[in-house]
Every structure is written in structure tokens, then in C-alpha cells.
Amino acid sequence: MRHGFFNSLRGRLTAQYTGLFAAAMLGLAVALYLAIEGIAATTVTAELRTSGATYDRLWLQRSHQLQDAAGLLAHDYGFLEAVATGDRATAASALDNLRGRLELKSAFILDANGHAVVGNDLPTADQARRLWQSFDDGRLIGVASIAGRQRQVVAAPIMAPQQLGWIVFSVDLDRRQMEALEALSPVPISANVVVRRGAGWEGVAGQIGDFKAGALDSGAAANAGRAALLEIDGQPSFYALRPLPTLGDGDKAALLLVYPKAQAMAAYRPIELALAAFALLGLGVLVYASWRTSARIVEPLSRLDIAAEKLGHGERIEVTVEGDDELARLAKRFNAMAEEIAEREARISHLAYFDVLTSLPNRVGFRDRAAEFLAQGPAPGGRFALFCLDLDDFKGINDTLGHGAGDALLAAVAARITRNAGGGFVARLGSDDFVVLKAFPGVCGEVETFARHLIEAIRRPLQIEGQHIVPGASIGIAVSPDDGEDIDTLLRHADLALYRAKATGRSSVCFFEESFNERAQERRRIEADLRQAIEHGEFELYYQPLFDLATNRIGAFEALLRWNHPERGLVSPAEFVGIAEDTALILPIGAWAMREACREAVKWPPHIRVAVNVSSVQFQRDGLNKVALQALAGSGLDPSRLEIEITESIFLESNERTAGILHGLRSLGVRIALDDFGTGYSSLSYLQSFPFDKIKIDRSFINDLLVRQGATAVVRAITDLAAALGMETTAEGVEDSAQLERLREQGCTSVQGFLFSRPVRARDIPALIAASFDGATGQRRVA
């Protein structure tokens, strides 16, 4: 055979059918065994009940016999006279005479005081007292412990005519009584008397092997119906437990009837053996039939298996199975599937190497084809140039016009690049990123000319979904072999050049320079060091005071972030904040800065606020309001003493979202200041859409305040506008007294700059607060 028995379908089918039949027969055998056991249990229950009833009759018969004898003696005149006169010898003689004739174990008299006064094997005083109590309650027959033995006890009253006491007869509960009961049973039962002592039962009459003390309790509930099972000497036995009347509040007694299970089941063994023989015979027949039948199924499947293996290796094969049954239809479907797989593989191969939207090669296809392209080599004296293109403001178009318009734009740009590539290899690497790999016979001037030509081709206006769009692109260029000889190096360097081109401005072209690589490596090092700085607590806040011109005192401190690098020393925010924003590390850094600033500010006088700068990245992510709330709650700082400074750039992403966050902060009681007002994207609509608490005038206006015409008018216009809107104004970068005086004249409410103080550490703030300043010059007064 080609495979092992259980590795073949034929073997598994045979084994499966055999196993199913075996399982069915096993289930049948278990069901039959349980049924037989149930029948046996029912039969045994009836037998045990019959034996128990027989013992009850024997018990009562013997008890009445003894009680009648005691009653005769209790009415004998001579005995009554002896008891009444205290003639113990005569009473004892009468008791001994009767005890001998009745084969009693003991016979004695309990007097009116509950004392055993005449007889043999007298009970203890406590036992006598308890027996008297039982007799007095009307219980005259039962089991009691006398002289350390469990005995069958009967009593009769001695009346003359008042009661003088009790005649008590007892016989041992011994093996002889149990054997008499066993002889009367038609089945081989074992009769025993057991008493309850402590946590379990103990045999006192009969012959019983070892059993668990608590087993009778756990099975006692079953005796209300069928007989229960008990392990005796390791063998299961049916049993029934019949309680016996107890006297003197002694140990509870019961009749234990035991019937070995093996003997009860013996009559059914032939049926079980016949069933086993039938099952074995049926199993053999089924194995043979299954083996023959499976052969007719497996042969066509074997051909399909071989065909599937060849199909897996890429071979085209057709399977023919005669007939019109399920196997023949399976073969036809297999052949159709093989055809569909071939077509699907062709489609998948195309999708693996080409972009669905533009039909250009994708990143995988580009790397595969570009390697071949480079291997061919350029013409003598020529070189290859790799162009990385990225559309300008594609995200804005996608967000405002929708993804459908974005896709249409990408398809149109791809077509323009392909038409103007001049035989170059064009691919789309993802999103709005395209590459062109082209051979040039001349110098870099031709490369730049080609790049400018591509940008101009892309810039032609488009009509998409009724919208007039003028697309733009920036290009980064890497030239082989100067900038790399393999495609990975060229692509990495062209991407670095593209990054620099986009930083320069829209529709820019930039060639790779080795310094880009150095800057990229430096950027990666700073990013790695920033992560370490967060973990190791290397950041520190410096604080620069804001001087209130109305009160001539410090009204606030602006918290400024510094990085104490273990190797570079104090690092300026200008070197790392941009990287922190690009990598989202500004989120944990900004949260720490707000918590630390609030923690320090709570130590200052209540009129002094703290201002914290917030990055636009923090507005783009959820959780800024939560960060502010946690910082205030953790420090206990009054919300009105926290001022958050933002720049106008945060309104470029989403005005509605930004306004929602700002209103949330205002609802907490936090103040909002607009920083660097007058630069960048200044718009009066921001002031109209959100009521800021303060406007900070950019230092560029303050620098020109005394030297440039119109600067004073601009400052005046800003302060008047702020006053009309109910906002404060702070002038940044104030460095001399003349600027201070001019700003006071123009209505500025507070100033900030080196004229008053450079940024200081937190430990230096108390000295600044304690110092007084000259409102005209900004200088500290000497005490």
C-alpha cells in the first residue's frame, strides 16, 4: 500500500463505520446492563422488604412473648408480695427461675425511684433512669444498651394496685437471631443489626465485612424507593436499612439487610454473554462489508487526489469518471474549478503587482520591475534618475470633496504622469505617492527639466464632480550611481529629497544631498532620545513672567519646555518639538507639562496664573479636556488660574472640532489665549467664532515698534479690537524701556520679555514674585 491503513480514505471509512457500530453496540450494552441492573435492583428491593417485614414479625413475636411472660410474673401474688415487702431474695429467685426458662440474658426490676434493685447484669444508674423515662412514655419494647451490649428489651409494670416498678427482660442481639432470619429468606441475604455511633454505623449483631462509616447515611434516602448500593469488603452489595425502636435515648439501632450484587446479577450473565457474542460477529461482518464498499468510493477519489496534487504544482489536468453519480459530478466540478483557478491566479498575479485604481505597478511590482530596469543599465555616459512625486494638499481635497473625488484625481494624475514620462517606468506606491524611474543620457540639468515638465503637466486644471481643481505636486530626485546603485537606496534617498521639497513649498523640486541623510539620521536619534527622555524624566519647565501694566506686578508665568539631555545638555524646544509633533510624542510630553505647571502654580499667590502652550497635534487627538481636568484635579489649582495658549494653525484642520474642544475647556473655567497673533494665517473670523480671553501680539510687531512706520498703528489696532471684544492683550518680546512705554500708550494690558526676566527655573520664582518692578522701566527696584 502507498500509505498506512489509517492514512488512506479506505482505511478511515472502514474504521469509521466499525467505530460507529462499536459505539452503537456499546451504547446498547450499557443500556441493557443498566436495564438488567434496574430489574435486579427492583427484585432485590422486593426481597429485602419481604425479609425486613419477616424480621419485624419475628421481633414483635419475640417481644410479645417476653412481655407476656413478664406480665404473668408481674401479676403473680407471691412475686407482688415479695416486691411490696422488699423481699429481694424471693423476687430474685422468681426472676432467675423465669430467666432460665426463657433463655434471657438478664432480668431485673426497676423500682418506683428508677433504680435497678433486683436481678442480674443490672444497668447503670443513668441507664436505669433513661429506661424508666422510656417506659413511662409508653415505649415498652425496643433496643437499649445494657452492661455495654445492645439488647432487645421488654418491660411490664408491677401494680399492687399502685405501680411499684417495672419488670425488665432483655436478650442479646446476636448472630443466632440473624441466622434465623437469613434461613427464612428465599435469597442469600445477610442480616445484621447496626447502631449509630458518632459519625457512622457499627455492626453489633450478624456478620458483616468492612464498609465506610458514612456510606449508610449517603444511601439512606434511596431506601424510600429501591435498594441502594454499599461497598462491603470492596464488593458492591444492595442493602436496605430498617430502623428499630430505641429505648433509653441510647444509640439508634437499625436492621441492615445486604444482598451481594454479583449474586443478584448472576442470573443475567447468559444474556450479557450472548449480546457480546452477537456484537463481535456483527463487527466482523461490518468490517468486511465496509472494506469492500469503500473500495468502490476510493478509486475515483484517488484519481482526483492525483489530479489535485498536479494542479497544486501548476499542471493542467482533467479527470474523467464514468457515470452520473456524485463522484462523476464531483469530477466535472473539479475540472471546472481547475479552469477557474487558472483564471483567478492570473487576476491575483495582476493584483499583486498592479494598483487597482490606476492600473500602474504597485510597490511590489515597482521593486520587481525596477531591479530589472536598473540591471539593463543606461546608455553609455548616461544615468538613471528616480523621481518621487507627492500631490500637494491631497488630504484636503479628499476630506472636503470625498474619497470618490480623491480617487478620480489620482486616476487623472496617474494618466498625466504616464503620458509625460517619456518612456520612464511609472508606479504608484500608495495613497498619492508616485515614482518615475527614467534613464537620462546627459547631466542633471535634463533631470530637473524633466521634473519641472512633470509638475507643469500635473498642474493643468481638472473638472471633478463639478469642482474646478488645480492639482500640484512636489518631487524628490535621487540619481544613480551618485545617490545609490540599488533601488532600495535610491528610493530612500528620493523620499528624503521629497520630504525636503515639501518643506520648501508647493510644486517644488529637490535633489538628494548627503546632508539629508545625516539630518534624517539625526531626526531618528532625537526621536529615540525623546522616548528615553519621557521614561527617565529628562524634561523641565522654565517660567517667564508676564507683567501686568495696570497693577505693575507679575500677573502670570508662561511655562516653557526644556530638555535636559544627558549628553547634549539643555536642548531648545526648536530642535525637538517638531519631531515630537510628527511622532505624536508631544501627547505624553504635553500632558506632563500641564500637570507639572499646575503643580507649581498652586504654590504661587492666587492672583498669578500659569500659561501652558498646547500643540495642534493635541487638538487633533481626543483627550485634551481630560488632560486639563486631571491636571487641575491632581494639583488643586483653581481652573481660572490655568491659561492655555494656542496658535492660529489649529483652526486649519477643523474649525468646528477645534471650537468644540475650546468651548469644553472654557466650560471647565480654563482661560484661552491666542498666541502669535498677526502672523501666519491671521483671520478676524477666528476672533468672531470663539471669544478668547487674551490675544498675544507677536514679537515681530514689537521689534518694529520704534523703527518701522505703521507698526505702532498695527499694535494700536490690535489692542483696540481686543478691548472692543472684551479681551486682554499681551505683547511678546519686550526688551527695552522705550518699547514698554510705547505699549503702555497703545493700551496693551500686559507685557512679556527679557526686559523683566529671562525664563527661570521653578525654584527661582519666589524671588521674582517677592521683587518689585519699576512700572516705567521694567527694572527691579533695589530695596
Side-chain angles (χ1 to χ4, degrees):
M1 294 180 67
R2 183 180 177 187
H3 301 291
F5 179 81
F6 287 104
N7 289 331
S8 67
L9 178 60
R10 188 177 185 184
R12 289 199 299 274
L13 285 173
T14 302
Q16 183 178 3
Y17 291 138
T18 303
L20 289 174
F21 181 79
M25 292 306 299
L26 178 61
L28 179 61
V30 170
L32 183 60
Y33 178 81
L34 293 176
I36 291 173
E37 184 178 275
I39 294 171
T42 302
T43 303
V44 169
T45 299
E47 295 293 344
L48 293 179
R49 284 178 177 172
T50 301
S51 298
T54 300
Y55 183 78
D56 289 344
R57 289 194 297 273
L58 290 175
W59 169 276
L60 291 174
Q61 182 181 347
R62 177 62 170 164
S63 297
H64 290 154
Q65 179 186 2
L66 295 176
Q67 200 171 30
D68 290 344
L72 288 174
L73 180 59
H75 289 85
D76 182 79
Y77 180 78
F79 180 78
L80 284 173
E81 184 179 8
V83 173
T85 60
D87 186 356
R88 294 188 178 186
T90 301
S93 175
L95 288 174
D96 288 341
N97 181 43
L98 191 58
R99 180 171 58 83
R101 284 189 292 109
L102 296 178
E103 298 181 350
L104 302 176
K105 183 63 178 177
S106 69
F108 56 88
I109 296 174
L110 290 179
D111 64 13
N113 296 320
H115 300 142
V117 294
V118 177
N120 68 308
D121 284 348
L122 297 180
T124 65
D126 184 61
Q127 291 174 342
R129 180 183 57 78
R130 292 185 178 184
L131 285 173
W132 177 276
Q133 183 64 43
S134 297
F135 300 155
D136 194 47
D137 292 340
R139 292 180 288 137
L140 305 181
I141 300 173
V143 177
S145 176
I146 299 177
R149 306 264 317 211
Q150 296 294 325
R151 296 177 180 176
Q152 182 179 0
V153 177
V154 299
I158 303 172
M159 308 295 292
Q162 294 181 344
Q163 186 172 354
L164 301 178
W166 297 91
I167 296 177
V168 182
F169 290 164
S170 71
V171 294
D172 282 340
L173 294 172
D174 54 15
R175 177 63 189 162
R176 186 175 57 181
Q177 287 191 29
M178 300 299 105
E179 289 175 349
L181 176 61
E182 292 169 0
L184 294 174
S185 175
V187 295
I189 66 170
S190 172
N192 307 269
V193 174
V194 293
V195 294
R196 178 64 179 266
R197 289 176 179 165
W201 296 82
E202 180 181 323
V204 296
Q207 186 174 357
I208 187 171
D210 294 332
F211 62 91
K212 291 183 179 179
L216 293 180
D217 287 329
S218 63
N223 289 294
R226 300 196 319 176
L229 284 175
L230 176 68
E231 291 283 339
I232 300 178
D233 291 334
Q235 300 297 323
S237 299
F238 293 107
Y239 79 92
L241 194 65
R242 300 179 68 88
L244 297 175
T246 303
L247 300 177
D249 298 329
D251 296 329
K252 293 182 179 180
L255 175 66
L256 175 63
L257 301 175
V258 178
Y259 191 168
K261 184 179 178 181
Q263 295 181 14
M265 300 291 290
Y268 303 98
R269 288 288 179 264
I271 299 176
E272 295 177 347
L273 292 175
L275 177 63
F278 173 75
L280 289 175
L281 178 61
L283 191 63
V285 172
L286 182 65
V287 169
Y288 176 75
S290 299
W291 182 257
R292 294 294 303 271
T293 302
S294 60
R296 294 195 296 271
I297 300 174
V298 168
E299 191 276 331
L301 293 178
S302 297
R303 295 205 301 270
L304 285 170
D305 178 42
I306 295 171
E309 184 178 3
K310 292 182 177 180
L311 182 64
H313 291 107
E315 299 182 34
R316 299 291 296 275
I317 189 169
E318 184 174 345
V319 180
T320 303
V321 176
E322 299 295 335
D324 194 30
D325 57 8
E326 289 82 355
L327 291 175
R329 292 195 295 272
L330 177 62
K332 292 177 182 178
R333 292 194 180 101
F334 176 84
N335 295 332
M337 180 187 68
E339 291 293 331
E340 292 177 1
I341 288 175
E343 296 174 2
R344 191 178 301 116
E345 283 184 346
R347 291 196 300 270
I348 291 174
S349 178
H350 180 81
L351 292 174
Y353 292 94
F354 290 88
D355 175 51
V356 177
L357 179 62
T358 62
S359 297
L360 292 175
N362 58 18
R363 184 178 292 274
V364 177
F366 168 73
R367 294 174 67 87
D368 194 33
R369 295 271 303 278
E372 299 176 4
F373 203 81
L374 290 177
Q376 297 174 1
R383 59 183 63 194
F384 284 111
L386 179 64
F387 302 83
C388 279
L389 295 84
D390 186 272
L391 298 185
D392 296 331
D393 196 29
F394 175 72
K395 184 178 184 302
I397 296 173
N398 220 16
D399 291 343
T400 55
L401 300 183
H403 292 285
D407 290 345
L409 174 61
L410 290 173
V413 169
R416 290 181 176 183
I417 295 173
T418 303
R419 286 196 302 269
N420 292 274
F425 175 45
V426 183
R428 180 191 176 203
L429 302 187
S431 187
D432 59 332
D433 298 328
F434 296 87
V435 292
V436 178
L437 182 62
K438 180 175 173 59
F440 288 88
V443 294
C444 288
E446 297 178 357
V447 175
E448 184 173 0
T449 300
F450 175 77
R452 297 291 181 188
H453 172 68
L454 279 181
I455 290 176
E456 290 303 318
I458 293 171
R459 282 179 57 84
R460 291 197 297 271
L462 284 169
Q463 286 290 331
I464 296 178
E465 297 183 359
Q467 298 292 326
H468 182 75
I469 298 175
V470 180
S474 297
I475 299 179
I477 306 170
V479 180
S480 174
D482 298 339
D483 300 331
E485 297 183 356
D486 60 273
I487 193 61
D488 289 333
T489 303
L490 285 174
L491 187 59
R492 186 172 65 253
H493 288 171
D495 195 53
L496 289 173
L498 174 62
Y499 182 83
R500 180 62 181 276
K502 292 183 73 66
T504 302
R506 299 189 176 196
S507 301
S508 298
V509 175
C510 184
F511 284 87
F512 171 75
E513 298 176 9
E514 190 58 37
S515 60
F516 297 171
N517 210 0
E518 294 173 0
R519 280 197 290 271
Q521 292 177 6
E522 175 65 14
R523 180 183 177 87
R524 285 192 293 272
R525 282 194 295 269
I526 291 177
E527 180 182 344
D529 289 349
L530 277 174
R531 298 182 188 278
Q532 293 289 329
I534 295 172
E535 295 178 6
H536 297 161
E538 296 174 5
F539 293 107
E540 181 182 5
L541 291 183
Y542 277 55
Y543 299 87
Q544 188 173 29
L546 280 71
F547 191 74
D548 191 325
L549 295 181
T551 61
N552 289 328
R553 64 179 181 177
I554 295 175
F557 283 93
E558 180 179 1
L560 302 171
L561 185 65
R562 298 292 185 267
W563 179 11
N564 293 309
H565 195 282
E567 297 177 0
R568 306 180 188 184
L570 199 61
V571 181
S572 169
E575 298 183 40
F576 67 85
V577 167
I579 298 174
E581 290 179 331
D582 291 343
T583 57
L585 291 175
I586 195 65
L587 298 177
I589 296 173
W592 172 86
M594 191 170 295
R595 291 194 302 270
E596 180 67 13
C598 291
R599 189 182 66 83
E600 285 294 334
V602 79
K603 304 174 186 177
W604 306 337
H607 70 277
I608 298 180
R609 298 187 296 271
V610 64
V612 181
N613 291 279
V614 174
S615 166
S616 61
V617 176
Q618 293 173 268
F619 274 86
Q620 295 167 13
R621 308 292 179 92
D622 294 329
L624 179 58
N625 291 5
K626 183 178 180 181
V627 169
L629 184 61
Q630 289 176 342
L632 291 169
S635 64
L637 183 69
D638 189 306
S640 63
R641 295 181 60 197
L642 174 61
E643 189 169 272
I644 290 180
E645 294 189 4
I646 62 174
T647 60
E648 296 162 345
S649 61
I650 68 167
F651 291 99
L652 296 179
E653 291 292 333
S654 173
N655 279 350
E656 293 183 3
R657 173 184 172 84
T658 300
I661 296 174
L662 290 175
H663 281 292
L665 291 170
R666 283 290 296 273
S667 68
L668 297 177
V670 176
R671 292 168 54 88
I672 308 297
L674 183 60
D675 198 10
D676 298 334
F677 184 77
T679 62
Y681 307 95
S682 294
S683 172
L684 295 180
S685 63
Y686 301 151
L687 301 180
Q688 186 179 11
S689 62
F690 187 83
F692 293 96
D693 295 287
K694 178 188 289 186
I695 296 174
K696 298 190 74 173
I697 306 170
D698 187 69
R699 66 178 60 247
S700 61
F701 295 104
I702 309 306
N703 293 337
D704 296 339
L705 194 60
L706 303 177
V707 297
R708 183 178 175 184
Q709 292 183 352
T712 300
V714 171
V715 171
R716 185 68 186 191
I718 295 174
T719 58
D720 287 346
L721 176 63
L725 294 174
M727 303 177 188
E728 300 176 10
T729 50
T730 297
E732 299 180 293
V734 179
E735 298 184 357
D736 59 52
S737 301
Q739 291 174 334
L740 174 60
E741 183 60 28
R742 183 67 58 85
L743 290 167
R744 187 186 292 275
E745 293 172 356
Q746 302 308 316
C748 197
T749 56
S750 62
V751 293
Q752 176 183 0
F754 290 172
L755 176 63
F756 295 93
S757 173
R758 292 178 176 274
V760 298
R761 283 188 163 98
R763 62 173 179 262
D764 299 325
I765 290 179
L768 271 179
I769 295 175
S772 60
F773 290 85
D774 188 319
T777 64
Q779 302 298 313
R780 294 194 205 184
R781 293 191 179 98
V782 179

